[in-house]
Amino acid sequence: MLKEKSPHLSEYFEELLNAISDGILISDGEGIALWINQACLNFINRSKEEIVGKSSKELERMGIFNPSVTSMVLEERTMVSSVQLTETKRKFMVSGHPIKNEKGQIELVITQSRDITGIVRTTSKLEEMQMLLKKYSREIMEIKRKSHNEESGDFFIGKSKAYVSMANLMEKAAFVDTTILITGETGVGKSEIAARIHQLSERSKETMVEINCGALPESLIESELFGYKKGAFTGASKDGKKGLIAQADGGTLFLDEIGELPIQLQAKLLQFLQQKKYTPIGDTRTYTADVRIITATNRNLQQLVTEGKFRSDLYYRLNVLPMKVPSLRERQEDIFGLLQMNLKKFNKKHGRQCKLTPEALQLLRSYPWPGNIRELENLVERLVITAPTYEITPTQLSTHLYDSQELPFNHFQLEKGQSLTEKLEEIEQKIIEQAYEKCQTTRKTADELGISQSLLMRRLKKYQLTRK
């Protein structure tokens, strides 16, 4: 039948196609099977008589070919590739090719199939192995996390929604090897976050190098980052200098206060990020370094881009994985634990047994903490050192919390006949009043204070506060 349809085929046609290991099925323009080679018959464990003469739809209904690539080719009128499952539960990669006449009509459909059952099985095993490796990696990361907590005084504690979300992202960031931009207010612990990501990452055995872009003069930052060749400039070391990028090769480079990086150096940093290549000052050779870049800032980089002070292409290259560290105002539930943890740490450091009274704790929980965790740590250590007794009371807090210029009332001592609740409400009213005057809208004020807008509205009504 095939020779009648296609008389141009050579007499060696069957011998040639039976010699190859791929399965071959040839059908006419209606999908009727005309010929099938021995390899294909072996794949499906059927005889030629069971296949030849049947339509592709019929063979599909019988479960011999599922799906029928021949039918797909006839429907789409173009070449089609698909994974096919046979009734023997074996998987094949099948490609179907239409043979058209001068009028564009399909006369023949030739399908070529290759058994991929073994490959799929091997791939599945590899996927299982990868899942196990990820599981073990997470367990190792957890061990590292606990070990780091013990070493760092358990800096990373919290149960607030804002903290848990950030902590989850932090651990995911450690598992991948991409550029990270950490943002957040002063004192939230951006450098500690960067160190944690490095210690949990696969680069933890290598060095993490840190530079504060705002702490060095512009003339020194380039030589610190990229290094210089001997004699590159007047005053340069006769032996030259190895830059921080070279020192961090294989590890992590943390660029703190990235918003302070001079505009003329931003192009050079961008080139390194894109190509992993750099040129030291005074050198003509290009060097490569395998370095992960983590940056941090408390400035609005998008605003700096608008003002022309920060390159937009560098901003987008740094902002591959953004991570915002919440302020303590957004972590109200965590303040008690942080206070107790730092109190324990500094009591041990200074050989004391100080404790906060319930009234002092309540006062500290309502404090806005403009300096965030750094301010909290410094305050607790100062209180432990200076407290005249082992009990830290609200009276002792009065000289440490607020500057008289920041808050328009003198101290936290209770007035005659005044209760603690009344004093706390007085403090709360002043804080909300100042924030409302600063932010002008209830939404921005609520964000500033780390509370919901509905709670702020209730407090404004309670204290009869209006915007001046």
Side-chain angles (χ1 to χ4, degrees):
M1 184 183 296
L2 178 62
K3 291 181 179 180
E4 293 175 359
K5 294 264 184 176
S6 306
H8 59 281
L9 293 176
S10 74
E11 58 182 350
Y12 300 109
F13 174 81
E14 293 191 19
E15 186 176 347
L16 288 170
L17 293 185
N18 277 322
I20 64 176
S21 58
D22 287 356
I24 302 293
L25 173 65
I26 302 177
S27 305
D28 65 15
E30 302 298 325
I32 305 299
L34 303 178
W35 188 86
I36 185 170
N37 75 344
Q38 191 58 47
C40 194
L41 291 172
N42 293 338
F43 289 162
I44 61 178
N45 196 26
R46 292 275 185 161
S47 67
K48 183 178 294 185
E49 291 72 24
E50 293 177 277
I51 305 301
V52 174
K54 291 185 173 63
S55 70
S56 58
K57 296 292 185 183
E58 185 178 0
L59 293 171
E60 187 173 32
R61 285 195 299 270
M62 294 170 63
I64 297 177
F65 301 119
N66 187 24
S68 171
V69 173
T70 299
S71 296
M72 295 168 69
V73 170
L74 292 172
E75 289 173 5
E76 300 184 23
R77 301 186 59 77
T78 186
M79 190 193 83
V80 174
S81 293
S82 177
V83 174
Q84 190 178 79
L85 181 67
T86 68
E87 59 181 349
T88 59
K89 305 303 181 185
R90 301 187 68 81
K91 291 183 179 180
F92 298 86
M93 175 57 71
V94 184
S95 296
H97 304 265
I99 305 297
K100 299 179 181 180
N101 59 22
E102 296 177 353
K103 297 179 180 179
Q105 299 169 332
I106 297 177
E107 285 196 348
L108 295 173
V109 176
I110 301 175
T111 61
Q112 177 184 6
S113 55
R114 179 165 296 178
D115 192 348
I116 60 170
T117 308
I119 297 173
V120 171
R121 188 179 296 118
T122 302
T123 303
S124 298
K125 289 181 178 179
L126 285 173
E127 289 176 352
E128 290 176 10
M129 185 64 69
Q130 288 175 342
M131 289 177 66
L132 282 173
L133 287 173
K134 288 181 180 179
K135 177 177 178 289
Y136 295 148
S137 296
R138 291 191 187 100
E139 290 175 357
I140 292 170
M141 287 169 62
E142 182 65 17
I143 293 171
K144 286 183 179 181
R145 183 185 67 79
K146 291 179 179 178
S147 173
H148 179 61
N149 284 348
E150 292 172 1
E151 295 172 0
S152 63
D154 205 17
F155 176 86
F156 297 95
I157 64 171
K159 59 182 180 181
S160 65
K161 184 178 179 181
Y163 171 79
V164 170
S165 177
M166 185 274 297
N168 289 337
L169 180 58
M170 179 177 62
E171 295 198 0
K172 289 178 181 177
F175 197 70
V176 297
D177 196 40
T178 191
T179 306
I180 299 173
L181 175 60
I182 304 173
T183 59
E185 297 178 6
T186 298
V188 292
K190 295 185 289 294
S191 59
E192 285 82 1
I193 298 290
R196 163 64 74 83
I197 291 172
H198 171 74
Q199 289 165 352
L200 294 179
S201 73
E202 294 181 353
R203 295 177 178 266
S204 59
K205 294 181 181 179
E206 303 298 332
T207 306
M208 174 174 167
V209 180
E210 178 178 351
I211 181 173
N212 188 317
C213 299
L216 291 175
E218 290 187 16
S219 57
L220 291 181
I221 294 180
E222 183 175 8
S223 61
E224 286 294 317
L225 276 177
F226 302 100
Y228 57 81
K229 190 179 178 182
K230 60 180 181 180
F233 50 85
T234 303
S237 169
K238 63 179 182 178
D239 299 320
K241 182 176 180 179
K242 190 177 182 180
L244 297 180
I245 287 178
Q247 293 178 38
D249 192 9
T252 303
L253 176 62
F254 175 49
L255 302 174
D256 199 6
E257 301 302 337
I258 187 65
E260 306 298 330
L261 188 69
I263 192 76
Q264 63 270 22
L265 285 183
Q266 292 176 19
K268 199 167 182 179
L269 177 61
L270 177 64
Q271 181 184 19
F272 174 72
L273 285 167
Q274 292 174 332
Q275 304 174 7
K276 297 296 183 182
K277 296 179 180 180
Y278 68 98
T279 303
I281 298 174
D283 206 336
T284 57
R285 291 176 296 175
T286 298
Y287 300 84
T288 61
D290 175 24
V291 178
R292 181 187 196 176
I293 300 292
I294 300 178
T295 59
T297 184
N298 60 2
R299 302 186 67 182
N300 187 333
L301 290 188
Q302 285 184 310
Q303 181 63 33
L304 294 180
V305 169
T306 302
E307 295 172 359
K309 297 177 181 178
F310 203 87
R311 292 178 62 110
S312 60
D313 47 6
L314 177 59
Y315 168 69
Y316 293 119
R317 189 65 183 79
L318 295 175
N319 200 37
V320 175
L321 184 57
M323 181 181 300
K324 182 182 181 299
V325 184
S327 65
L328 278 186
R329 294 188 305 280
E330 301 170 88
R331 301 177 54 189
Q332 289 290 319
E333 304 98 306
D334 302 334
I335 292 175
F336 177 81
L338 289 167
L339 285 169
Q340 296 293 357
M341 179 268 291
N342 280 282
L343 193 61
K344 179 180 178 181
K345 179 174 68 175
F346 292 121
N347 272 333
K348 181 178 180 181
K349 179 180 178 181
H350 300 292
R352 302 208 67 187
Q353 297 178 351
C354 295
K355 63 179 181 179
L356 293 160
T357 65
E359 295 80 10
L361 274 172
Q362 181 62 32
L363 193 60
L364 289 171
R365 290 182 70 174
S366 63
Y367 178 64
W369 299 107
N372 293 291
I373 292 179
R374 187 182 301 146
E375 181 185 9
L376 184 147
E377 289 179 335
N378 293 340
L379 173 64
V380 173
E381 184 170 21
R382 191 160 63 246
L383 288 170
V384 168
I385 293 171
T386 62
T389 66
Y390 286 138
E391 278 203 340
I392 300 173
T393 65
T395 301
Q396 292 157 2
L397 293 175
S398 63
T399 57
H400 297 284
L401 282 183
Y402 289 101
D403 187 282
S404 59
Q405 296 179 350
E406 294 177 346
L407 205 61
F409 54 101
N410 295 329
H411 52 71
F412 292 103
Q413 289 182 331
L414 297 179
E415 298 175 7
K416 187 175 181 180
Q418 187 181 37
S419 68
L420 174 62
T421 301
E422 291 171 335
K423 172 57 74 174
L424 292 176
E425 288 181 345
E426 178 185 351
I427 295 170
E428 183 181 54
Q429 178 179 344
K430 292 294 182 182
I431 292 172
I432 292 174
E433 186 176 20
Q434 288 182 346
Y436 196 23
E437 286 303 311
K438 172 186 173 183
C439 299
Q440 294 295 301
T441 68
T442 56
R443 182 182 62 79
K444 290 182 180 179
T445 304
D447 289 342
E448 177 79 12
L449 297 174
I451 61 177
S452 65
Q453 194 170 9
S454 58
L455 176 59
L456 174 64
M457 296 303 295
R458 290 197 295 272
R459 291 295 186 271
L460 293 175
K461 183 177 180 181
K462 175 181 178 180
Y463 299 125
Q464 299 181 344
L465 295 175
T466 57
R467 191 178 64 192
K468 296 178 182 178

